[in-house]
Amino acid sequence: MNIEITNTTSFVLNELKKKTHGTVHSVYRKTINIVLGEKLLALQASNTPISPLSMITNLCEAHMDSLAVKQGMAVFIMHNEIRIILSKDEALTFSYLNSQITDTHFDISLTDFEADKTYSLISQTLKGHSLNGLAQLNDCGLSQLPTYLAAAKTVIRNSLKAYKRMDWEESAGLLVKLIGLGIGLTPSGDDFLCGVMAGLIMTGKSDHPFTACLSSLIRCHLSDTNDISSAFLECALMHHFGEAVHALKYAQDSDEIYEQFSKIGHSSGTDTLCGVCFSLMLPF
């Protein structure tokens, strides 16, 4: 069976050049995750959000779900194709020869005015919609929150206090405790940290000592979460983010931001947005 990959990313293409074989890492709903060496990439159904790891196919969600792909199956890369071996006599072939390429590398730095405007729009988004995950922190006291959210709120609040004291190591050390915190395919704490990294780039803090501390600690703790979430965190450390983050630069209203981020997982988009918001309100 031959399947077209209609859209992929510069990050994915770079990884596909490095390896000739791998395995199916996992299969869930509308995604087949493959692992090549230590890198995880994602074959996705059409009309799903683009992340740095994405290979968007021409298959609808139902068709993707019907594929007889299982964890551990062999994967081969050759001639602009990804081949998954289903059995001795059958394989699925995903061609990326004619794929549209999205550059997910993020280097957008906002002016002070744009940062203030973006922060205001994100705040409106988080307060103006019924959202899951860390967005609930705005409306509830600690006693009203699930345990993991209460823990996250305490960590974030104390990290901000340490940052305002210019204790970069303490602030970063607190935030890294969020790795692996939460439920779902990508825990809320990990999505939040991806957003923090994006926000630090947006505010021109890529070379800030806090960013250096946080990046180093995240890299040291990648194994503290699951493989998929770890892959997204590693992408964030390399300044690669999904299309929703890139779209923040051009957002004109909170509804536009909500439309982009609400497409991402149960609460992953919201949690990422909370992380961006955290970075945008940091002083200095």
Side-chain angles (χ1 to χ4, degrees):
M1 181 178 179
N2 296 316
I3 301 164
E4 288 292 320
I5 295 174
T6 59
N7 197 328
T8 189
T9 71
S10 52
F11 181 87
V12 167
L13 286 182
N14 186 53
E15 295 303 323
L16 290 174
K17 293 174 183 176
K18 298 177 182 178
K19 299 292 181 181
T20 58
H21 63 279
T23 57
V24 174
H25 174 276
S26 52
V27 182
Y28 66 96
R29 290 182 295 174
K30 50 202 174 189
T31 303
I32 299 168
N33 292 307
I34 63 173
V35 62
L36 306 175
E38 296 181 350
K39 299 297 183 182
L40 188 144
L41 307 175
L43 291 158
Q44 298 171 212
S46 59
N47 300 316
T48 52
I50 297 174
S51 80
L53 310 176
S54 293
M55 296 174 281
I56 309 297
T57 71
N58 61 349
L59 301 182
C60 67
E61 293 183 21
H63 201 166
M64 280 289 283
D65 285 342
S66 70
L67 299 178
V69 179
K70 295 181 180 178
Q71 181 181 4
M73 286 181 168
V75 175
F76 294 93
I77 314 298
M78 60 185 82
H79 308 305
N80 298 307
E81 293 179 348
I82 299 167
R83 187 167 296 176
I84 299 177
I85 308 303
L86 302 180
S87 68
K88 183 175 65 174
D89 304 312
E90 188 179 7
L92 290 175
T93 301
F94 297 82
S95 172
Y96 54 91
L97 178 62
N98 298 313
S99 297
Q100 179 180 336
I101 311 303
T102 298
D103 185 1
T104 56
H105 190 264
F106 188 67
D107 57 4
I108 295 172
S109 183
L110 303 177
T111 65
D112 290 341
F113 171 77
E114 289 172 325
D116 288 344
K117 175 186 173 184
T118 303
Y119 174 75
S120 177
L121 289 176
I122 292 174
S123 296
Q124 290 173 35
T125 304
L126 294 174
K127 295 175 182 176
H129 296 85
S130 180
L131 300 171
N132 298 308
L134 296 175
Q136 300 173 69
L137 301 186
N138 293 321
D139 304 320
C140 301
L142 292 178
S143 62
Q144 299 169 285
L145 292 168
T147 303
Y148 83 94
L149 286 180
K153 186 167 188 173
T154 299
V155 164
I156 293 167
R157 184 171 57 195
N158 290 339
S159 175
L160 183 58
K161 289 178 181 178
Y163 188 98
K164 289 179 177 178
R165 297 194 305 270
M166 292 188 283
D167 189 340
W168 318 127
E169 290 186 7
E170 174 70 10
S171 181
L174 285 163
L175 277 192
V176 83
K177 292 180 180 180
L178 296 176
I179 291 181
L181 183 68
I183 56 177
L185 193 65
T186 54
S188 290
D190 301 341
D191 294 322
F192 180 86
L193 287 170
C194 285
V196 169
M197 294 305 299
L200 291 171
I201 297 167
M202 293 171 72
T203 52
K205 294 187 177 73
S206 293
D207 298 322
H208 195 282
F210 170 74
T211 306
C213 288
L214 183 59
S215 298
S216 177
L217 285 171
I218 290 174
R219 192 170 296 283
C220 288
H221 289 273
L222 288 174
S223 61
D224 291 353
T225 189
N226 65 61
D227 292 342
I228 296 170
S229 212
S230 176
F232 283 118
L233 282 168
E234 190 171 12
C235 283
L237 292 175
M238 294 186 283
H239 295 197
H240 284 273
F241 300 90
E243 58 184 339
V245 168
H246 285 261
L248 282 173
K249 167 72 174 178
Y250 311 102
Q252 297 300 311
D253 57 58
S254 60
D255 288 338
E256 190 176 331
I257 294 175
Y258 173 76
E259 182 180 355
Q260 287 283 346
F261 281 85
S262 62
K263 298 175 185 175
I264 308 171
H266 176 64
S267 67
S268 289
T270 298
D271 296 329
T272 301
L273 201 55
C274 287
V276 175
C277 192
F278 175 88
S279 289
L280 290 182
M281 68 181 182
L282 294 177
F284 316 118

